[in-house]
Amino acid sequence: MEDKLLERKVCIVAGGAGFIGVNLVTALLKKNYKVIVGDNLSLGSFEALVNTACLSLDNCLKVDLSSEVGVAKLFDLAFEKYPSVSEVWHLAANSDIPAGVDDPGVDIKDTFLTTFHLLNESKRRNIKKFNFSSSSAVYGDWGNKPLKESLGPLKPISNYGAMKLASEAQICAATESFLEESNIFRFPNVVGVPATHGVILDFFNKLRLTPHCLQVLGNGLQKKSYLHVSELVDAMLFVSNLPKRGNRVEIVNIGCSDSGILVRDIAEIIVNLMSPSANIVYGKDDRGWLGDVPRFFYDTSYLQKLGWSPKLSSREAVELAAKEIFDGLI
């Protein structure tokens, strides 16, 4: 009986070598899942998976997940090693929002086509469960209005958000067609290690180059929700493992229940850790870049109703992540 249960607990993690992927794979392995990881290694590395998650390199494949052929190779590896695959975790995406503004094709390729081909291959292989890492960027800019899952119409202001929303739509259609269950997780800003990008790492890298001055994009009054990656992964697994409910497509905001933290506060936390005498210089604009949503407030009441709440506030998550990243730099 136990062997049969383990056979059912086999999953493919697309984009599993990235920041969130390493943490998710680690958690899945602790829960006795068998895991196959595919990643193009544009940001992450399989070394982190081996060292942190203790995943065998034989279960990792460098592959272009925006390619039909590449996705088929990943699924071939999974089914060669295991008799069946129970679910797909899709974390692959372009994470550089400004790059998608300069070239929309980046988001079409790395965010939408990865979804399209993973869904098509899941259908071909008769995989019935699909978990997707979406984003608060699908909502667009609603100012101070709380972002609730039922809010609409959704009007993303970045190509990244647009392709995440298009992916959500494709998953909904696939659920009507062949999936038995799909979970769409709308992330806030996620922090922790092994960080590959994001405001905290960006500030540390700037201070390494100019220890006496930190240049901040925007006026520093941008305010957003932050969640530590350990809590993000815990929330995703909690929702994914809930007994089946009436919704075949579950769309869930994951985040803190507070109003977020200012970029100015993040800058001060980083400076105090790395270079206390540095001068912080702010820009004049109310946002960091084209396509940036300067303020958003997550309504996480649905997730709390399901039974999960974070232990850390946005500020506590940033402070913990900043210390983790700083400790890795020294």
Side-chain angles (χ1 to χ4, degrees), residues 129 181 237-245 250 306-307:
K129 184 174 180 179
E181 181 183 352
L237 290 173
F238 173 83
V239 173
S240 180
N241 289 318
L242 283 174
K244 287 185 180 179
R245 299 164 300 283
E250 193 73 89
L306 290 175

Side-chain angles (χ1 to χ4, degrees), residues 1 22 25-26 42 44 51 61 67 74 81 93 99 134 144 162 164 168 174 208 220 232 243 281 290 315 319:
M1 174 65 83
V22 170
V25 170
T26 302
S42 60
N51 293 338
L61 182 68
S67 156
L74 175 61
K81 293 186 72 70
S134 191
N144 292 328
K164 284 290 189 182
E168 287 191 11
R208 293 171 85 177
L232 174 79
V281 179
L290 187 64
R315 183 180 186 91
E319 289 174 336

Side-chain angles (χ1 to χ4, degrees), residues 2 17 21 31 66 86 109 129 131 140 148 150 162 177 196 208 214 220 227 234 248 261 266 302 307 325:
E2 184 178 354
K31 290 183 177 293
S66 68
S86 56
K109 176 178 179 290
K129 184 174 180 179
N131 303 284
K148 190 176 179 63
S150 59
S177 172
T196 57
R208 293 171 85 177
L214 175 61
L227 189 70
D234 187 60
R248 288 174 61 200
I261 181 173
I266 298 175
Y302 181 58
I325 295 170

Side-chain angles (χ1 to χ4, degrees), residues 144-180:
N144 292 328
K145 186 168 185 176
L147 303 181
K148 190 176 179 63
E149 291 89 346
S150 59
L151 186 66
L154 302 184
K155 297 179 180 179
I157 62 172
S158 64
N159 290 305
Y160 168 81
M163 291 301 100
K164 284 290 189 182
L165 184 56
S167 293
E168 287 191 11
Q170 192 70 42
I171 292 165
C172 289
T175 308
E176 181 67 21
S177 172
F178 71 93
L179 291 173
E180 292 180 357

